[in-house]
Amino acid sequence: MTDRPPLSRRNTRTVIAGSVSLGGGAPVAVQSMTNTDPHNPAATLQQISRLAAAGAELVRVAVPDAAAAEVLEQLCLQSSVPLVADIHFDHRLALAAIAAGVAKVRINPGNIGSRRRVREVASAARDAGVPIRIGVNAGSLPRDIREEYGVSARAMVETALREIGTLDDVGFSDVVLSLKASDVSTTVEANEQISGRVDIPLHLGVTEAGAKWRGTIKSSVGLGYLLGRGIGDTIRISLTGDPVDEVRTAWEILAAWGLRRRGPDIVSCPTCGRCRVNMAEIVEQVEQGLVDCSEPITVAVMGCEVNGPGEAREADVGLACGEGVGLLMRDGEVVEKVTEDEMVDSLLQLVRSYLTRDCPSP
Amino acid sequence: MTDRPPLSRRNTRTVIAGSVSLGGGAPVAVQSMTNTDPHNPAATLQQISRLAAAGAELVRVAVPDAAAAEVLEQLCLQSSVPLVADIHFDHRLALAAIAAGVAKVRINPGNIGSRRRVREVASAARDAGVPIRIGVNAGSLPRDIREEYGVSARAMVETALREIGTLDDVGFSDVVLSLKASDVSTTVEANEQISGRVDIPLHLGVTEAGAKWRGTIKSSVGLGYLLGRGIGDTIRISLTGDPVDEVRTAWEILAAWGLRRRGPDIVSCPTCGRCRVNMAEIVEQVEQGLVDCSEPITVAVMGCEVNGPGEAREADVGLACGEGVGLLMRDGEVVEKVTEDEMVDSLLQLVRSYLTRDCPSP
């Protein structure tokens, strides 16, 4: 229903991570990270599989030591989505991860010591066709840059340029870049600045955004803003808790802009003094009934006669409630009048019949 | 910690609603709407008081009929925040609401019939110093405009200009304006377009945004984007459920941009395979312990030694966890090493002592 032109996205070069293209006009990819014990392949694979089922297209796994690196090969073989190794300081872990078959490595070359080590990692990555993500984090900037620029967007950009330069020096440019701060303004400013200076695909995230509720808001504001400005090629939402929530939130942010959609959009009114039905309960039941639906469908659940019919008319399928009764609508036409008791079941049935006709599951 | 310049906000004229200034550089005001039965003053006043305690600065009440209008006087007398009457179609309800002492009326002059009625409402509003909010909603556009432009941002802008013109014709310009759609792109586009054409303060909202989780994301993306572009003088988040959540979310969106802050910012990491403590539980306990705190303080709770100390150093008060122990930090300095059992209590105590010293309650 929008006449806003599709978001025009900044040009970036294409980087390939396993089966996933990042940048160069590819769809914004959704990623997440496991928080299971990386030495426990069963638990980690189970979480990867839950993340993939929720829509994660890339999953990152921390590789804190050699034992975790040894588990990686099994993870890579059994995961249905490409895996990214998260490595700090120890270049041998990067080499082991590449050998294990990861699709991408997140490592900061400035952290791993000598130029010889950087060259070794870059050479292994090049041979394996594995890109490297440079991850600049406001919480761990090089001391000299921090002293010169403070902890700031500028300092993050300078750090990124230095890291890019370190890989450039050894002839490696198959990189993705992230600049993350735990506050939205700094994250936005750093990404705006860097996107004007390099054509490297950008991985977006507000780091340490917090627990589910607060982290969802910070990420939605920050990543939503950048995506709205055409910036960002892959996103990861950071939430303290079950990472499946990160994936669901990422998809919902992309859907909000119409960039991508997975699963239903349920439009429902906040209710007001005019509402005569228990909307919160009805919407909750509809949400629950559609929790496993990955089809893009717009469902309106409206509580009164003022905005109800209008919104329900614009949706694929809608329910406009009055006192004790509801009008079921499909493609803007009323199809049935139902009682309050029947509303939820009838609406879910209408959704199913709509999807069966129009959008058969792949 | 940001070097992003403070958001520059678009110039709008000032409109006064009771004790609250909207536009003209005033802080972005937070509002919500009751969903109790408007004929029940006790329940409505109780909800108003909960909304005000959560930080609502204006509260809207639906006035569907004369009986509800009669209750308004009592509500206005007893509410600690200015009230806004939400009226559709019936200009007599607007007159009654103004007489009852509301601080603002939300009504669309195009909906109330003859020019005589519009003049009557405008005249009563002018005498009482009560502004009118014109609320354009994509779900209820005039038929002729919908037929010409479809349901679109352009149609919303045309509707808004017509409504403004109707009030202008009777010499009334003390107005606030909202253009809401249930999808983010249309809402953003409509507000971007109108903000280039009028200097009327804008009330932002994504209407029928959905239940708490989905509605929070849509509102954070849409309103976050507009606020990031300097657009918006007052915001209302629409969520199906308890409206107190709307107020908390509104504040968190403003805090994300550093526009305003109320209550603590709790920075916490998403945890990864490096984490050796139960972060989700620790953060949840810290959130709970600070739920009634309205002081602006940044608290970092970090799960590992990689980004932990850096983030904790930037926060007012921080906890960086290692295996079984944590470092408590204040203003960037380590103040104590504590065991896992003591972490939450010690951190909350440190917050209290920090606030007592630095930010005494008003």
Side-chain angles (χ1 to χ4, degrees):
Chain A
M1 101 182 207
T2 177
D3 58 349
R4 194 165 207 258
L7 292 177
S8 87
R9 291 174 56 206
R10 305 263 176 120
N11 281 332
T12 49
R13 65 175 91 136
T14 303
V15 166
I16 310 283
S19 53
V20 179
S21 287
L22 305 173
V28 178
V30 170
Q31 53 178 294
S32 183
M33 185 169 182
T34 57
N35 61 6
T36 49
D37 179 353
H39 307 101
N40 181 338
T44 304
L45 278 167
Q46 201 211 357
Q47 194 174 59
I48 290 169
S49 139
R50 288 178 59 236
L51 291 168
E57 297 166 307
L58 277 173
V59 173
R60 184 154 47 114
V61 180
V63 186
D65 52 38
E70 271 177 39
V71 170
L72 267 182
E73 189 171 344
Q74 184 186 346
L75 301 184
C76 290
L77 281 171
Q78 293 185 33
S79 169
S80 63
V81 292
L83 299 184
V84 183
D86 191 78
I87 289 162
H88 292 266
F89 313 121
D90 189 343
H91 82 294
R92 291 165 303 181
L93 298 175
L95 297 174
I98 293 167
V102 298
K104 192 167 72 164
V105 174
R106 184 264 200 233
I107 191 168
N108 289 353
N111 276 344
I112 62 179
S114 69
R115 187 182 160 97
R116 186 185 56 74
R117 290 178 182 170
V118 174
R119 187 178 292 121
E120 237 181 300
V121 171
S123 162
R126 188 183 303 110
D127 291 348
V130 165
I132 290 175
R133 170 163 65 97
I134 296 167
V136 174
N137 193 305
S140 52
L141 297 170
R143 180 185 291 268
D144 64 321
I145 289 181
R146 208 169 68 217
E147 280 169 4
E148 186 163 352
Y149 301 104
V151 177
S152 64
R154 174 72 191 278
M156 293 166 71
V157 168
E158 294 298 328
T159 304
L161 294 173
R162 179 186 290 179
E163 297 281 8
I164 295 164
T166 302
L167 284 176
D168 245 3
D169 284 350
V170 299
F172 191 86
S173 60
D174 190 17
V175 292
V176 174
L177 184 60
S178 65
L179 288 80
K180 302 186 182 182
S182 62
D183 84 278
V184 167
S185 295
T186 309
T187 304
V188 164
E189 176 72 10
N191 282 280
E192 281 179 332
Q193 285 185 17
I194 200 74
S195 79
R197 300 186 63 169
V198 301
D199 72 342
I200 297 171
L202 293 180
H203 161 127
L204 303 184
V206 175
T207 192
E208 287 92 31
K212 184 174 175 182
W213 173 76
R214 195 185 306 270
T216 296
I217 295 172
K218 280 192 204 175
S219 300
S220 300
V221 171
L223 274 55
Y225 184 87
L226 287 166
L227 291 166
R229 304 297 293 162
I231 297 171
D233 300 289
T234 175
I235 62 175
R236 188 260 169 126
I237 312 300
S238 295
L239 301 175
T240 307
D242 184 347
V244 166
D245 288 329
E246 301 185 346
V247 178
R248 295 199 175 122
T249 301
W251 277 101
E252 210 53 38
I253 292 172
L254 295 177
W257 275 126
L259 280 164
R260 299 181 75 183
R261 184 180 287 175
R262 189 175 191 282
D265 185 18
I266 300 170
V267 172
S268 64
C269 72
T271 81
C272 65
R274 282 184 294 269
C275 184
R276 294 285 168 276
V277 293
N278 188 339
M279 275 289 290
E281 198 178 304
I282 292 171
V283 174
E284 176 62 31
Q285 286 173 15
V286 173
E287 290 266 6
Q288 279 308 314
L290 297 175
V291 76
D292 290 324
C293 172
S294 61
E295 305 288 345
I297 181 174
T298 303
V299 181
V301 185
M302 302 293 297
C304 85
E305 57 276 13
V306 173
N307 296 318
E311 285 292 342
R313 198 165 47 218
E314 292 299 318
D316 296 320
V317 167
L319 169 67
C321 304
E323 192 155 0
V325 293
L327 295 178
L328 282 176
M329 304 179 85
R330 174 184 177 139
D331 291 328
E333 305 291 332
V334 174
V335 292
E336 200 184 345
K337 190 174 204 167
V338 292
T339 66
E340 191 164 349
D341 286 350
E342 305 166 322
M343 281 175 184
V344 173
D345 286 346
S346 303
L347 182 62
L348 292 174
Q349 202 176 323
L350 188 60
V351 169
R352 276 187 293 269
S353 84
Y354 186 95
L355 290 175
T356 315
R357 188 198 58 175
D358 292 335
C359 325
S361 295
Chain B
M1 100 182 206
T2 177
D3 57 349
R4 194 166 206 258
L7 292 177
S8 87
R9 291 175 56 206
R10 304 261 177 123
N11 280 333
T12 49
R13 64 174 90 136
T14 304
V15 167
I16 310 282
S19 53
V20 179
S21 287
L22 305 173
V28 178
V30 170
Q31 52 178 297
S32 183
M33 186 169 181
T34 57
N35 61 5
T36 49
D37 178 353
H39 307 102
N40 181 339
T44 304
L45 278 167
Q46 202 212 355
Q47 195 175 58
I48 291 169
S49 137
R50 288 178 59 237
L51 291 168
E57 296 165 307
L58 277 173
V59 173
R60 185 154 47 114
V61 180
V63 186
D65 52 38
E70 271 177 38
V71 170
L72 268 182
E73 190 172 346
Q74 184 186 345
L75 301 184
C76 290
L77 282 172
Q78 292 183 36
S79 169
S80 63
V81 293
L83 299 184
V84 183
D86 191 77
I87 289 162
H88 292 266
F89 312 121
D90 189 341
H91 82 294
R92 292 165 302 181
L93 298 175
L95 297 174
I98 293 166
V102 298
K104 192 168 71 164
V105 174
R106 185 263 199 233
I107 191 168
N108 289 353
N111 276 345
I112 62 178
S114 68
R115 186 183 161 98
R116 186 184 56 76
R117 290 179 183 170
V118 174
R119 188 178 290 119
E120 237 179 299
V121 170
S123 162
R126 189 185 301 108
D127 291 347
V130 166
I132 290 176
R133 169 161 66 97
I134 296 167
V136 174
N137 193 306
S140 52
L141 296 170
R143 180 184 290 268
D144 64 321
I145 289 181
R146 209 170 66 217
E147 280 170 5
E148 186 164 352
Y149 301 104
V151 177
S152 64
R154 175 71 192 277
M156 293 166 71
V157 168
E158 293 298 328
T159 304
L161 294 173
R162 179 186 290 179
E163 297 281 7
I164 295 164
T166 303
L167 284 177
D168 246 2
D169 283 351
V170 299
F172 191 86
S173 61
D174 190 19
V175 292
V176 174
L177 184 60
S178 65
L179 288 81
K180 302 186 183 183
S182 62
D183 83 279
V184 167
S185 294
T186 310
T187 304
V188 164
E189 177 71 9
N191 281 281
E192 282 178 332
Q193 284 184 19
I194 200 73
S195 79
R197 300 185 63 168
V198 300
D199 72 342
I200 297 172
L202 293 179
H203 161 128
L204 303 184
V206 175
T207 192
E208 288 91 32
K212 184 174 175 182
W213 175 75
R214 195 186 305 271
T216 295
I217 294 173
K218 281 192 205 175
S219 300
S220 300
V221 171
L223 275 54
Y225 184 87
L226 287 165
L227 290 167
R229 303 296 292 163
I231 296 171
D233 301 288
T234 175
I235 62 174
R236 187 258 170 128
I237 311 301
S238 294
L239 301 175
T240 307
D242 184 347
V244 166
D245 288 329
E246 301 184 347
V247 178
R248 294 200 175 122
T249 301
W251 277 102
E252 209 56 35
I253 292 172
L254 296 176
W257 275 125
L259 280 164
R260 298 182 75 183
R261 184 179 287 175
R262 189 176 191 282
D265 184 18
I266 300 169
V267 172
S268 63
C269 73
T271 80
C272 66
R274 282 185 293 269
C275 185
R276 293 286 167 274
V277 293
N278 187 339
M279 275 289 289
E281 198 178 302
I282 292 171
V283 175
E284 176 62 31
Q285 286 173 14
V286 172
E287 290 267 6
Q288 279 309 313
L290 296 176
V291 76
D292 289 324
C293 172
S294 61
E295 306 287 345
I297 180 173
T298 302
V299 180
V301 184
M302 303 292 298
C304 85
E305 57 277 11
V306 172
N307 296 318
E311 285 292 343
R313 196 166 47 219
E314 291 299 318
D316 295 321
V317 167
L319 170 67
C321 304
E323 193 155 0
V325 293
L327 294 179
L328 282 177
M329 304 179 85
R330 174 184 178 140
D331 292 327
E333 305 291 332
V334 175
V335 291
E336 201 184 345
K337 190 175 204 169
V338 292
T339 66
E340 191 165 349
D341 288 348
E342 306 166 321
M343 281 176 184
V344 173
D345 286 346
S346 302
L347 182 63
L348 291 174
Q349 202 176 325
L350 188 59
V351 169
R352 277 188 292 270
S353 83
Y354 186 94
L355 291 174
T356 314
R357 188 198 59 175
D358 291 335
C359 323
S361 296

